[in-house]
Amino acid sequence: MSEIVDQAMRLFAERGYDGTTLQDVADAVGLSRPNLYNYVKSKEELLVAMVEATAQSAANSLREVRQRTDLDPAGKLRLLVRTLVLQRAERPEQFRTLDRSDQALPPEIAKKHLESRRAVLGEIMAVLEEGVTAGLFRPIDVRVTALSIIGMGNWVAWWFHPSPAHPAEPVADQIADNAVAMVAREPGRTPATPTPLGAVALLQQDLDYLTRLLTAEEGRRGPAGEG
């Protein structure tokens, strides 16, 4: 079944969904059409398999990462992005085919695809919100940021071409680090405790710094009326 799906993805990417027949798929995997029916009954079933292998698989993988208790939000975000990038790099034709065919998908399959995409967005937004609440991430718009991160990961399916000399793992690591750098607070700006009191402590640091600046400025001016 895996080979059938892979060959269908390749044909859909080359010829389009409407331009590919089940006979084409059967020929590609070396089966007669009657034998192919033992695995799939229609092209729609292949599209469902594509959705499950791309968007739904990604959503499930990201959910597992988000639920881990051994990682802080930065660690979760790094692993989320790395997972997403590797999935896109390893199955680019599947993602590209769904991306191109998004508007032409049958209604039920389009609904599954949309739900899976929303699930991916929700998992990343949840980790970003967790990081903001903990004081590890800047107070960002989590939806805009999550969409930006997803865009970075998805685009890999279009431009990255793995080879023995250019494996996917270092690329995934770099993009994951970029994602964390997008949202991380500046060094020294992370509260010691992820609580309202921790945030107040940061504000107090800013006020103390501002007081020092104002005091130094007054000192340079000297007593009122001088300078």
Side-chain angles (χ1 to χ4, degrees):
M1 185 61 189
S2 177
E3 183 180 358
I4 291 171
V5 172
D6 288 344
Q7 290 298 329
M9 299 310 99
R10 179 182 62 80
L11 292 171
F12 290 165
E14 293 174 357
R15 307 177 185 182
Y17 176 72
D18 291 335
T20 301
T21 66
L22 281 180
Q23 185 62 59
D24 295 329
V25 177
D27 292 341
V29 294
L31 293 174
S32 67
R33 186 158 177 169
N35 283 337
L36 182 66
Y37 284 138
N38 291 326
Y39 299 92
V40 292
K41 306 300 183 185
S42 66
K43 287 195 299 181
E44 285 77 9
E45 287 188 21
L46 289 172
L47 279 176
V48 171
M50 286 172 57
V51 170
E52 291 175 347
T54 52
Q56 288 185 355
S57 176
N60 293 337
S61 298
L62 300 191
R63 186 176 302 110
E64 291 177 1
V65 173
R66 177 182 60 79
Q67 293 174 342
R68 287 180 57 168
T69 59
D70 60 322
L71 296 173
D72 67 4
K76 289 182 182 180
L77 181 60
R78 182 175 285 106
L79 186 53
L80 283 173
V81 176
R82 189 178 189 277
T83 299
L84 184 66
V85 170
L86 288 177
Q87 288 183 343
R88 299 300 182 245
E90 291 166 358
R91 296 177 174 175
E93 289 182 341
Q94 291 185 7
F95 178 78
R96 291 199 302 265
T97 299
L98 280 177
D99 195 45
R100 288 170 173 167
S101 307
D102 189 49
Q103 300 301 316
L105 294 175
E108 286 303 312
I109 299 174
K111 181 180 178 182
K112 285 180 177 288
H113 190 215
L114 179 60
E115 289 172 350
S116 298
R117 288 168 56 189
R118 286 176 173 171
V120 168
L121 176 63
E123 295 301 331
I124 296 178
M125 287 177 60
V127 170
L128 291 173
E129 189 64 48
E130 181 183 344
V132 172
T133 302
L136 298 176
F137 299 162
R138 294 179 289 105
I140 51 175
D141 183 318
V142 295
R143 187 173 190 278
V144 171
T145 305
L147 288 170
S148 301
I149 289 171
I150 290 171
M152 286 196 306
N154 286 349
W155 191 242
V156 169
W158 299 92
W159 64 262
F160 180 68
H161 305 286
S163 68
H166 194 201
E169 285 77 8
V171 174
D173 289 338
Q174 182 173 338
I175 294 176
D177 288 342
N178 290 345
V180 174
M182 284 173 55
V183 300
R185 281 186 178 273
E186 297 177 4
R189 297 296 301 156
T190 302
T193 55
T195 64
L197 289 178
V200 168
L202 283 181
L203 289 174
Q204 187 61 56
Q205 291 176 22
D206 289 339
L207 289 173
D208 290 345
Y209 178 59
L210 178 60
T211 299
R212 288 189 176 90
L213 287 178
L214 292 173
T215 301
E217 181 66 21
E218 289 297 322
R220 286 193 293 271
R221 290 181 178 178
E226 295 184 6

